[in-house]
Amino acid sequence: MPELAEVEYFRKRWDPGLGARVARVEFHGMARLFRGIPAAEFEKTLTGSRLVSSAAHGKQMIFRFDRATLGLHLGMTGELRTAPPDFVPGKHDHLVLFQKGATLVFSDPRLFGRILFQKGRCDPDWWTNRPPDLLSPDFTKAALAVFLLRRKAAPIKAVLLMQERFPGLGNWMADEILWQARLHPSTPGGKVADVARLWKTIRSVCRDALRVIGANWADPPDDWLFNHRWRDGGTCPRCGLELLRQDIGGRTTCWCTRCQAG
DNA sequence: TCTCGTGTTTCTTG
DNA sequence: TCAAGAAACACGAG
């Protein structure tokens, strides 16, 4: 389920490896996660390198080593964890970095994730050219308004999932934002009347999700749609009406027909 | 056995 | 050339 907050949570799971060198690398180099990465160079460079720092931006993570950078994207089912030194990688553990104190594991059953790799200490282009963080001052109401006009015909649900403008938003966060902002998910981008309200809601949902899920994988408050959206028969925590689930913008979308009448 | 899915990329259509 | 939708990717869960 990795969206913004979950990605931040997973990133920190590799913190025990900070400052330590990689003694051995095990990986399934042929898995599609590694698209185009030369296996021999990958292994040679990472072996002996020291993990210096890490950061997350949206759904993308960067792990900086003293002689290379590693980019990780979790796709739909990826996860990071640490394991004991005698860890034996399983079928879905596609990248395992053995250090003296910790074993860093990246697993992904569905192989929708992605691994990026660049030799050297410079941050790669895919990191330096990223769009503004949704909580940064550069994500402005004006920028949001311009983007909505550019995507004027697309349903707002689909627009919120566009990572080029909303890095880190995924399916449940988009539904949560639209529910809190009382916007029907099919509303065309160009027809969003209260852009300021949408902007404010995007920021508050991101901030709260990071605080709650990003910190320790706790559940968001019970009065969020989040806790009611997963099963058929769930009801709106605001008005009690049964929630509707339907495919909008190619994704399963959950909303309240009364609160989000459009 | 069949359907579905918290993501992204590529292809197709308009 | 751009925007929007559909299909594809791969596999476990229900």
Side-chain angles (χ1 to χ4, degrees), chain A residues 30-250:
Chain A
M30 296 305 287
R32 47 179 249 125
L33 293 165
F34 287 89
R35 281 162 275 203
I37 296 177
E41 186 180 47
F42 180 77
E43 183 174 5
K44 191 178 162 196
T45 308
L46 280 181
T47 305
S49 67
R50 191 164 54 88
L51 179 57
V52 177
S53 67
S54 69
H57 176 260
K59 298 174 187 171
Q60 183 68 53
M61 289 176 283
I62 186 169
F63 290 87
R64 300 186 183 89
F65 292 79
D66 56 2
R67 52 179 89 155
T69 56
L70 190 62
L72 296 182
H73 191 295
L74 300 171
M76 283 174 80
T77 52
E79 100 172 22
L80 299 188
R81 66 183 190 279
T82 51
D86 59 351
F87 178 72
V88 178
K91 181 179 166 190
H92 301 307
D93 302 321
H94 299 288
L95 173 63
V96 182
L97 305 176
F98 290 90
Q99 297 176 314
K100 199 174 172 187
T103 300
L104 312 179
V105 184
F106 172 33
S107 51
D108 183 6
R110 281 179 70 182
L111 299 175
F112 284 180
R114 181 155 207 175
I115 294 172
L116 300 167
F117 172 72
Q118 180 172 293
K119 278 177 81 169
R121 298 197 66 146
C122 294
D123 280 352
D125 290 347
W126 57 258
W127 184 258
T128 49
N129 296 337
R130 61 199 196 277
D133 189 286
L134 295 175
L135 291 174
S136 82
D138 293 334
F139 176 66
T140 60
K141 271 176 258 187
L144 173 61
V146 168
F147 192 77
L148 290 178
L149 282 179
R150 212 177 97 207
R151 305 292 182 160
K152 58 179 185 283
I156 185 65
K157 168 64 187 278
V159 175
L160 287 180
L161 294 176
M162 294 176 181
Q163 300 298 299
E164 71 209 73
R165 181 78 265 175
F166 308 102
L169 292 195
N171 207 33
W172 79 254
M173 287 186 81
D175 282 357
E176 186 70 45
I177 288 164
L178 294 175
W179 178 79
Q180 291 196 21
R182 295 177 182 257
L183 255 174
H184 192 288
S186 293
T187 309
K191 294 278 172 63
V192 172
D194 196 343
V195 175
R197 181 185 201 176
L198 176 60
W199 177 83
K200 207 173 155 185
T201 310
I202 291 170
R203 311 244 307 176
S204 71
V205 168
C206 287
R207 197 179 308 112
D208 292 346
L210 275 170
R211 184 170 46 78
V212 176
I213 301 172
N216 55 10
W217 203 268
D219 279 342
D222 198 51
D223 60 353
W224 275 30
L225 180 70
F226 177 90
N227 297 300
H228 308 264
R229 69 183 304 275
W230 306 105
R231 282 196 312 270
D232 280 333
T235 54
C236 172
R238 192 189 282 131
C239 76
L241 195 69
E242 188 168 333
L243 295 163
L244 196 62
R245 281 197 293 165
Q246 219 171 37
D247 195 291
I248 295 179

